[in-house]
């Protein structure tokens, strides 16, 4: 195959220098040997012959050097000549060049943008040294199959003392610190960490130090600031280390500032030590410690998991009331941080890949169309002595010039797109590491590789078609070519079929996501979200240590806010929907099932919570002002809890025991309310236990305010009201219910938007593709159509003829596309909400949409065909 | 060892190599021997100019090469004319004839 073996001669010269050198070496050596042989035959002595031969050659190395220079020079010269010729030829058809470049820039740009996200989120290593050894150890409930991101403090310390697989094991847990050092108190999301947290992650502070081992006590009173907080609140003050800050509950000393890239957990603004000597460390049933561990160098995650499972089994038999059915799962830290978004990202990445294929199909169509019109030029070149390889190389060079320029434009476009994507992305924990996405060298390398690949494929397709064409025929045919390029036309048809099929796959995917988003946004909430404002407030542990004082404080807060103008009514809840959830284990009194520890959502609410939210009462009663300390503990449960645990019984009057922070708390069920969407729009309802905050106040609460007008406008006055009750307390992080609901749908909305844009782009490209092919076919068949019309064909017949030609391609593409979509959309299952992966209505809908757009794309050239004047056509004969 | 009697004119070497190979495939030494024969010893091509020329012409697509056995069982790289090379030989022959006529008449004129 001389053509193929020479096709990459430039590449070979650059990359396989060693082999080329070796061949040259061998060639020269055999020359010397043969010369020597010749001299020996003429009667010279062997040794003398060899010496004289070497002298004659005059330095093998110099000869080699000269050859090398010549080779590189010739290749470069040919290459530059091809580039110049290509540039001239592309400049001669600016319309073609502009359309091709735009198409490629869109395709490559979209790929580059999504790849920068994939690179930042999935590929780039986590910003911790030796991050491959970092794992998360988490609880898994063998009974319900649910995995918890967390473990109880007591179990954690048992794991730590009993396991041998880890170089270190650390835990952390979110809480908040209220800063009082300015006139407006501010609640900062903080994270409490155990002693090995920072050295497990091997991070060094930017300023100061991490915690000393003697600081993990109740009176540790030290804090490490995040870079963000340091910049925002302390203006990047280099002397911040050593400063004492007034916080709610005492003073606290800054010992360090972390570097900007350190974000574990993502929301943390400050880190404080866990008091490892406190009674809290003996809690075993409440699972709220998240873990991170570094494996010992030669320990595989599976080995560590096996060891941890043995330990968990031991703990389960030792503490059955809290640990039975609980086992352990180990996964890489990366998985915990980005595992949730991986499927969606890969689907988006696949989708832009399809868009690029469609874009390449369109450009190949354009290039093929141009190749047919360039037939004569190429035939003339061939007759003047250009070899097939020459012409193919020229076409490949032109394709590469197109795709590389398109790639460069695409990279510019991507720069802008990445900014847009990052801006669009739901904020906070939902999309980890996205803010790191940008177009960097790795991404540009990817873009370049894509451009090269696209260029090579384009060039080969067109080059093969063009060089196969019979030179004789194209010269002979002259101007009129009724049947010329029939083979090219067929290739273009195949390309359109493929484009239609790919577009249908994308449309089906986008259609499913959009339908599922619509389902999600119209889901039955179980409460009335209009004009609701949620304002979280904490209660000082020192001032309000007693439950009674805490309840009284929350009551005063509610009363104060109620007095603000514009407030209709105020309720409180420890866990307002879409904001927080809390789980506690419970048992039903009088039922012996020691092997089951069911968990329920727990929520301490005010008596008017149900009426304010509009949560329907199914039986029994709501809480009243009499459900407070001193009266017997009351509980309201939801309908899921009644269905799951009280089938065929009346739950009202039954008693529950909730494991409340390691102390059993007995509650009497007084009522049953309807289910609400508590955790998120998509999450299924769980069993839920409500208690009265007047009776069992949680450590913090959220004011839920029904307002008369725009709830967002009321935030400042509500905050003022809170400070007027107690100036050392803050109400931060206020959100309207509208915002919370919108946040809960943010991720599906983001995916639908991106996939929708890609599908629309694909549809547009496919329409252009069909339009191009049919227009071209009409132009080629003008003569035939003219003859038909002269013989009596009506407009209708011509329309049918042309549209029929287009719709056959569409039909073939649709059939293939539907098959592919059926096979492919199942990978999206995890992204869909109450929509099947092969939802028939969606499939029918997108097929109809595609067929309609394709029909319009055919209609334009078809109408042109009907305007053919038979007399003109025949006169041209 | 005798010196090259005539310096090769720019472009002449290519023509000679093409001509030498027009009669059949040859290895490097064969090409220089053949040139010496057909020019009756006027031109002697040294490896320092021969090999760069062979490789340049191969790169230009005029020559194709393959490895084979020499007459006394040595592995050698053989060159032969490609179709483009044959055309090149014709073009250069015409060109050469034109130049030769022009030079000859120029010399006669003085």
């Amino acid at each position: 195959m001389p053509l193929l073996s020479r096709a990459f001669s430039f590449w070979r010269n650059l990359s396989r220098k060693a082999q080329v050198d070796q061949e040259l070496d061998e060639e020269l050596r055999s020359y010397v040997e043969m010369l020597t042989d010749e001299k020996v035959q003429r009667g010279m002595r062997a040794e003398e012959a060899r010496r004289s031969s070497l002298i004659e050659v005059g330095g093998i190395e110099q000869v080699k050097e000269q050859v090398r220079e010549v080779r590189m020079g010739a290749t470069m010269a040919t290459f530059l000549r091809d580039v110049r010729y290509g540039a001239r030829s592309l400049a001669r058809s600016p319309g073609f060049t502009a359309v091709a470049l735009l198409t490629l820039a869109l395709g490559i740009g979209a790929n580059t943008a999504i790849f920068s996200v994939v690179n930042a989120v999935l590929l780039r290593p986590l910003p911790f040294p030796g991050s491959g050894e970092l794992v998360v150890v988490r609880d898994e409930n063998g009974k319900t199959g649910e995995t918890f991101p967390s473990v109880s403090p007591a179990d954690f310390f048992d794991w730590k003392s009993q396991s041998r697989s880890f170089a270190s094991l650390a835990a952390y847990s979110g809480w908040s610190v209220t800063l009082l050092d300015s006139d407006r108190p501010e609640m900062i999301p903080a994270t409490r960490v155990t002693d090995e947290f920072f050295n497990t992650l091997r991070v060094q502070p930017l300023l100061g130090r991490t915690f000393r081992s003697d600081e993990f006590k109740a009176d540790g009173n030290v804090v490490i600031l995040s870079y963000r907080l340091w910049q925002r609140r302390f203006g990047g003050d280099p002397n911040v280390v050593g400063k004492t800050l007034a916080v709610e509950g005492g003073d606290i000393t800054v010992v360090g500032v972390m570097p900007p890239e350190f974000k574990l957990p993502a929301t943390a603004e400050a880190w404080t030590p866990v008091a490892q000597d406190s009674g809290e460390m003996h809690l075993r049933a409440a699972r709220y410690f998240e873990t991170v561990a570094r494996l010992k160098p030669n320990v595989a995650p599976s080995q560590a998991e096996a060891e941890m499972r043995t330990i968990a089994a031991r703990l389960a038999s030792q503490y059955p009331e809290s640990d039975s059915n609980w086992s352990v799962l180990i996964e890489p830290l990366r998985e915990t941080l980005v595992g949730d978004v991986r499927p969606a990202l890969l689907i988006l990445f696949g989708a832009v890949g399809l868009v690029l294929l469609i874009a390449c199909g369109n450009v190949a169509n354009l290039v093929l169309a141009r190749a047919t019109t360039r037939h004569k030029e190429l035939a003339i070149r061939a007759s003047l002595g250009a070899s097939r390889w020459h012409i193919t190389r020229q076409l490949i060079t032109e394709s590469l010039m197109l795709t590389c320029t398109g790639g460069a434009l695409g990279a510019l476009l991507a720069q802008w797109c990445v900014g847009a994507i990052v801006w669009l992305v739901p904020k906070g924990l939902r999309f980890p590491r996205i803010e790191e996405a940008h177009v960097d060298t790795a991404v540009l390398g990817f873009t370049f590789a894509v451009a090269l690949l696209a260029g090579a494929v384009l060039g080969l397709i067109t080059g093969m078609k063009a060089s196969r064409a019979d030179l004789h025929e194209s010269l002979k045919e002259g101007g009129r070519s009724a049947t010329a390029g029939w083979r090219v036309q067929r290739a273009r048809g195949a390309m359109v079929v493929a484009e239609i099929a790919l577009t249908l796959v994308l449309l089906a995917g986008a259609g499913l996501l959009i339908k599922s988003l619509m389902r999600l946004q119209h889901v039955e909430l179980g409460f009335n979200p209009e004009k609701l404002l949620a304002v979280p407030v904490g209660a000082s542990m020192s001032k309000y240590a007693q439950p009674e004082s805490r309840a009284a404080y929350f009551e005063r807060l509610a009363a104060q806010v109620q007095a603000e103008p514009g407030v209709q009514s105020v309720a409180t809840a420890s866990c307002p929907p879409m904001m927080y959830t809390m789980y506690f284990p419970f048992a039903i009194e009088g039922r012996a099932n020691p092997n089951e520890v069911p968990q329920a959502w727990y929520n301490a609410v005010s008596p008017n919570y149900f009426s304010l939210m509009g949560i329907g009462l199914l039986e029994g009663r709501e809480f009243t002002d009499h459900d407070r300390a001193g009266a017997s503990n009351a509980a309201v449960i939801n309908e899921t809890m009644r269905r799951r645990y009280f089938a065929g019984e009346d739950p009202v009057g039954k008693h529950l025991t909730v494991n409340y922070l390691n102390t059993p708390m007995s509650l009497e069920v007084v009522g049953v309310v309807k289910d609400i969407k508590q955790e998120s729009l998509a999450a299924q309802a769980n069993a839920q236990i409500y208690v009265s905050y007047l009776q069992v106040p949680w450590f913090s609460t959220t004011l839920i305010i029904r307002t008369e007008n725009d709830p967002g406008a009321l935030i400042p006055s509500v905050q003022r009201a809170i400070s007027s009750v107690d100036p050392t307390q803050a109400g931060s992080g206020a959100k309207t219910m509208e915002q919370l609901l919108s946040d809960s749908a943010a991720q599906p909305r983001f995916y639908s938007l991106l996939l929708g844009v890609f599908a629309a782009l694909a549809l547009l490209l496919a329409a252009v593709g069909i339009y191009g092919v049919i227009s071209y076919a009409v132009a080629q068949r003008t003569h035939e159509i003219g003859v038909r019309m002269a013989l009596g064909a009506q407009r209708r017949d011509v329309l049918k003829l042309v549209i029929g030609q287009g719709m056959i391609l569409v039909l073939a593409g649709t059939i293939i596309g539907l098959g592919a979509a059926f096979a492919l959309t199942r990978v999206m299952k995890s992204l869909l909400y109450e929509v099947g992966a092969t939802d028939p209505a969606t499939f029918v809908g997108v097929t109809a949409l595609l067929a309609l757009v394709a029909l319009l794309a055919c209609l334009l050239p078809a109408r042109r065909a009907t305007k053919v004047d038979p007399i003109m056509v025949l006169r041209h004969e | 060892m005798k010196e090259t009697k005539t310096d090769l004119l720019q472009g002449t070497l290519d023509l000679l190599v093409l001509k030498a190979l027009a009669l059949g495939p040859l290895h490097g030494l064969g090409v220089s021997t053949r040139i010496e024969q057909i020019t009756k010893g006027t031109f002697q091509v040294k490896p320092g100019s021969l090999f760069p020329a062979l490789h340049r012409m191969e790169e230009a697509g005029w020559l194709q090469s393959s490895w084979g056995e020499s007459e006394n069982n040595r592995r050698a790289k053989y060159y032969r004319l490609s179709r483009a090379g044959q055309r090149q030989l014709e073009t250069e022959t015409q060109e050469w004839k034109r130049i030769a006529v022009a030079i000859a008449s120029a010399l006669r004129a003085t």
Side-chain angles (χ1 to χ4, degrees), chain A residues 705-774:
Chain A
I705 305 157
R706 177 86 65 193
T707 61
E708 273 158 10
N709 295 303
D710 172 27
L714 235 58
I715 295 176
S717 60
V718 168
Q719 274 168 340
R720 262 197 310 278
I722 293 170
S723 318
S724 76
V725 176
D726 183 340
T728 67
Q729 301 297 308
S732 327
K735 280 199 165 161
T736 65
M737 185 51 72
E738 201 183 347
Q739 255 175 307
L740 289 170
L741 290 174
S742 159
D743 286 355
S744 183
Q747 203 156 332
R749 194 163 45 234
F750 174 66
Y751 297 144
S752 323
L753 179 67
L754 281 186
L755 202 57
V757 167
F758 296 154
L761 191 57
L763 189 59
L764 179 72
L765 290 174
V768 170
I770 300 167
Y771 172 81
V773 168
I774 300 302

Side-chain angles (χ1 to χ4, degrees), chain A residues 141-442:
Chain A
N141 190 318
K143 189 122 183 171
T144 60
E146 58 192 325
T147 60
F148 260 51
S150 40
V151 56
S152 65
D155 280 352
F156 170 75
F157 286 103
D158 284 338
W159 286 0
K160 198 166 149 72
S161 61
Q162 295 178 24
S163 64
R164 297 281 163 272
S165 305
F166 305 111
S168 59
L169 178 60
Y172 58 96
S173 159
W175 71 315
S176 62
V177 169
T178 308
L179 290 175
L180 301 175
D181 58 332
S182 75
D183 47 353
R184 245 190 62 205
E186 189 187 355
M187 204 155 73
I188 303 289
T191 297
R192 298 183 301 151
V193 305
T194 64
D195 50 0
E196 286 190 306
F197 183 73
F198 291 106
N199 71 6
T200 298
L201 296 168
R202 289 194 195 147
V203 285
Q204 295 300 321
L206 188 69
L207 292 178
R209 56 171 176 89
T210 55
F211 300 128
R212 281 197 313 260
S213 54
D214 60 323
E215 286 166 340
F216 292 87
K217 316 187 287 224
D219 54 357
N221 294 338
V222 284
V223 66
I224 293 175
L225 306 178
S226 76
Y227 184 83
R228 235 174 346 189
L229 180 63
W230 177 53
Q231 290 292 329
R232 181 169 65 78
R233 187 142 178 138
F234 302 96
D237 175 13
N239 300 316
V240 75
V241 172
K243 270 206 175 135
T244 301
L245 308 177
V247 298
E248 180 276 299
D251 286 346
I252 195 163
T253 306
V254 178
V255 299
V257 175
M258 293 314 282
E261 68 275 10
F262 183 73
K263 289 171 190 156
L264 190 78
T267 48
E269 296 276 28
W271 293 267
T272 58
V274 162
Q276 290 183 186
D277 56 354
S278 71
E280 184 197 342
M281 299 304 115
H282 302 295
L283 293 179
R284 203 173 283 279
R287 298 178 155 79
Y288 59 89
F289 263 24
E290 293 177 56
T291 66
V292 57
R294 188 174 285 277
L295 291 171
K296 279 184 183 163
N298 293 317
V299 177
S302 57
Q303 278 170 281
E305 190 170 271
E307 189 204 12
M308 288 308 298
R309 280 178 184 247
T310 325
I311 295 173
R314 197 156 56 219
L315 291 175
S317 63
Q318 222 171 331
Y319 309 102
E321 69 286 354
S322 58
D323 283 12
S324 64
N325 291 322
W326 287 93
S327 186
V328 171
L329 203 73
I330 287 189
E331 65 181 21
L333 178 60
R334 171 193 289 277
E335 191 60 35
T336 309
L337 295 184
V338 304
D340 290 347
V341 299
R342 180 180 294 124
L345 264 190
L346 292 182
I347 286 167
L348 286 177
F349 194 39
V352 276
L354 296 188
V355 172
L356 181 62
L357 278 180
I358 296 171
C360 279
N362 262 7
V363 177
N365 263 339
L366 284 174
V367 173
L368 281 179
R370 188 158 163 268
T372 340
T373 53
R374 276 177 88 188
H375 234 100
K376 267 186 145 172
E377 171 204 335
L378 296 178
I380 290 167
R381 291 196 77 192
S383 66
L384 288 179
S387 65
R388 244 172 81 159
W389 160 237
H390 259 101
I391 289 174
T392 310
R393 192 185 54 201
Q394 179 62 46
L395 290 172
I396 290 180
T397 309
E398 276 173 36
S399 301
L400 279 174
M401 287 170 70
L402 271 182
T403 55
C404 287
T405 317
L409 291 176
L412 288 178
L413 189 68
Q415 197 97 354
W416 179 80
C417 284
V418 170
I421 290 174
V422 172
W423 179 78
L424 274 174
V425 119
K427 296 284 169 288
L429 257 182
R430 290 164 208 272
F431 217 107
R433 308 188 76 199
I434 182 90
E435 68 281 1
E436 295 167 36
H438 61 279
V439 178
D440 59 8
T441 35

Side-chain angles (χ1 to χ4, degrees), chain A residues 641-847:
Chain A
M641 178 137 173
R642 177 174 70 178
R643 195 179 54 246
R644 245 183 237 172
Y645 301 103
F646 297 97
E649 293 178 72
D650 185 3
V652 175
K654 296 277 189 318
H655 286 260
L656 307 172
T657 309
V658 169
N659 187 336
Y660 185 73
L661 307 176
N662 257 20
T663 7
M665 172 170 72
S666 180
L667 299 165
E668 185 189 338
V669 179
V670 298
V672 180
V673 292
K674 282 192 172 170
D675 285 343
I676 62 163
K677 287 288 171 187
Q678 172 74 32
E679 202 167 23
S680 68
L681 287 172
Q684 293 296 316
N686 201 343
Q688 185 159 26
I689 300 172
Y690 296 94
V691 298
S692 164
Y693 88 107
L694 296 168
Q695 212 153 39
V696 202
W698 187 244
F699 302 92
S700 58
T701 194
T702 299
L703 297 172
I704 296 171
I705 305 157
R706 177 86 65 193
T707 61
E708 273 158 10
N709 295 303
D710 172 27
L714 235 58
I715 295 176
S717 60
V718 168
Q719 274 168 340
R720 262 197 310 278
I722 293 170
S723 318
S724 76
V725 176
D726 183 340
T728 67
Q729 301 297 308
S732 327
K735 280 199 165 161
T736 65
M737 185 51 72
E738 201 183 347
Q739 255 175 307
L740 289 170
L741 290 174
S742 159
D743 286 355
S744 183
Q747 203 156 332
R749 194 163 45 234
F750 174 66
Y751 297 144
S752 323
L753 179 67
L754 281 186
L755 202 57
V757 167
F758 296 154
L761 191 57
L763 189 59
L764 179 72
L765 290 174
V768 170
I770 300 167
Y771 172 81
V773 168
I774 300 302
S775 302
Y776 188 77
V778 166
Q780 293 227 306
R781 290 173 77 179
T782 307
H783 178 73
E784 179 204 329
I785 292 168
V787 172
R788 276 174 193 261
M789 286 175 95
L791 292 179
Q794 297 297 306
R795 270 180 56 114
R796 219 155 41 96
D797 302 318
V798 175
L799 273 180
K800 226 162 53 187
L801 177 78
V802 176
I803 291 178
Q805 190 189 5
M807 291 320 266
I808 277 186
L809 298 180
V810 175
L811 185 68
T814 308
I815 291 169
I816 299 171
L818 277 176
F822 265 107
L824 286 174
T825 48
R826 69 191 67 223
V827 302
M828 300 177 50
K829 226 174 222 162
S830 66
L831 300 183
L832 298 179
Y833 175 74
E834 295 202 338
V835 175
T838 54
D839 181 51
T842 308
F843 275 47
V844 169
V846 296
T847 310

Side-chain angles (χ1 to χ4, degrees), chain A residues 494-505:
Chain A
M495 219 99 71
V496 165
V497 169
E499 282 183 32
I500 297 276
L502 293 174
T503 304
L504 191 59
V505 172

Side-chain angles (χ1 to χ4, degrees), chain A residues 427-690:
Chain A
K427 296 284 169 288
L429 257 182
R430 290 164 208 272
F431 217 107
R433 308 188 76 199
I434 182 90
E435 68 281 1
E436 295 167 36
H438 61 279
V439 178
D440 59 8
T441 35
V443 172
L444 286 179
F446 167 83
T447 309
F448 188 57
V450 168
L452 281 188
L453 193 71
V457 170
L458 271 186
L460 280 177
I461 292 174
T462 50
M464 243 132 68
K465 290 285 170 209
S467 60
R468 197 188 291 158
D470 190 350
L471 155 174
H472 219 67
E473 280 300 308
S474 12
L475 282 179
K476 201 172 61 184
E477 260 173 25
R480 215 197 72 210
S481 48
T483 53
W486 176 78
R487 200 196 274 134
V488 170
Q489 185 67 7
R490 197 178 52 175
R492 302 185 64 202
M495 219 99 71
V496 165
V497 169
E499 282 183 32
I500 297 276
L502 293 174
T503 304
L504 191 59
V505 172
L506 282 174
L507 281 175
L512 290 171
L513 273 189
I514 290 168
K515 183 164 183 182
S516 125
L517 178 66
M518 272 162 34
R519 285 263 157 95
L520 204 55
Q521 281 173 334
H522 293 104
V523 81
E524 184 58 50
L525 290 172
F527 61 89
N528 173 9
E530 267 160 51
K531 293 180 187 164
L532 271 189
L533 181 65
V535 189
V537 277
S540 156
M541 276 302 278
S542 47
K543 255 193 225 170
Y544 307 111
Q546 293 308 310
E548 291 81 6
S549 61
R550 224 157 39 226
Y553 169 56
F554 293 154
E555 221 174 351
R556 271 208 315 283
L557 274 178
Q560 187 71 32
V561 172
Q562 175 77 66
E564 287 293 320
V567 171
Q568 211 174 66
S569 49
V570 180
T572 71
S574 59
C575 299
M578 310 290 145
M579 230 171 171
Y580 307 117
T581 47
M582 201 164 20
Y583 285 84
F584 279 130
F586 72 94
I588 296 158
E589 282 173 27
R591 280 194 214 166
N593 44 353
N595 286 326
E596 194 185 10
V597 192
Q599 306 247 346
W601 284 334
Y602 176 90
N603 201 352
V605 300
S606 62
N608 63 341
Y609 176 73
F610 301 112
S611 58
L612 182 140
M613 294 289 285
I615 301 172
L617 182 73
L618 291 173
E619 64 171 304
R621 64 168 178 91
E622 299 176 6
F623 296 120
T624 68
D625 280 345
H626 303 294
D627 292 310
R628 54 174 72 229
S632 72
N633 287 342
V636 170
I637 63 172
N638 68 350
E639 52 179 318
T640 298
M641 178 137 173
R642 177 174 70 178
R643 195 179 54 246
R644 245 183 237 172
Y645 301 103
F646 297 97
E649 293 178 72
D650 185 3
V652 175
K654 296 277 189 318
H655 286 260
L656 307 172
T657 309
V658 169
N659 187 336
Y660 185 73
L661 307 176
N662 257 20
T663 7
M665 172 170 72
S666 180
L667 299 165
E668 185 189 338
V669 179
V670 298
V672 180
V673 292
K674 282 192 172 170
D675 285 343
I676 62 163
K677 287 288 171 187
Q678 172 74 32
E679 202 167 23
S680 68
L681 287 172
Q684 293 296 316
N686 201 343
Q688 185 159 26
I689 300 172
Y690 296 94

Side-chain angles (χ1 to χ4, degrees), chain A residues 58-79:
Chain A
I60 288 195
E61 278 313 310
Q62 274 107 303
V63 175
K64 272 164 74 176
E65 197 45 52
Q66 279 166 320
V67 171
R68 262 185 234 126
E69 266 169 34
V70 152
R71 287 199 83 110
M72 287 305 289
T75 314
M76 278 310 287
T78 332
F79 178 68

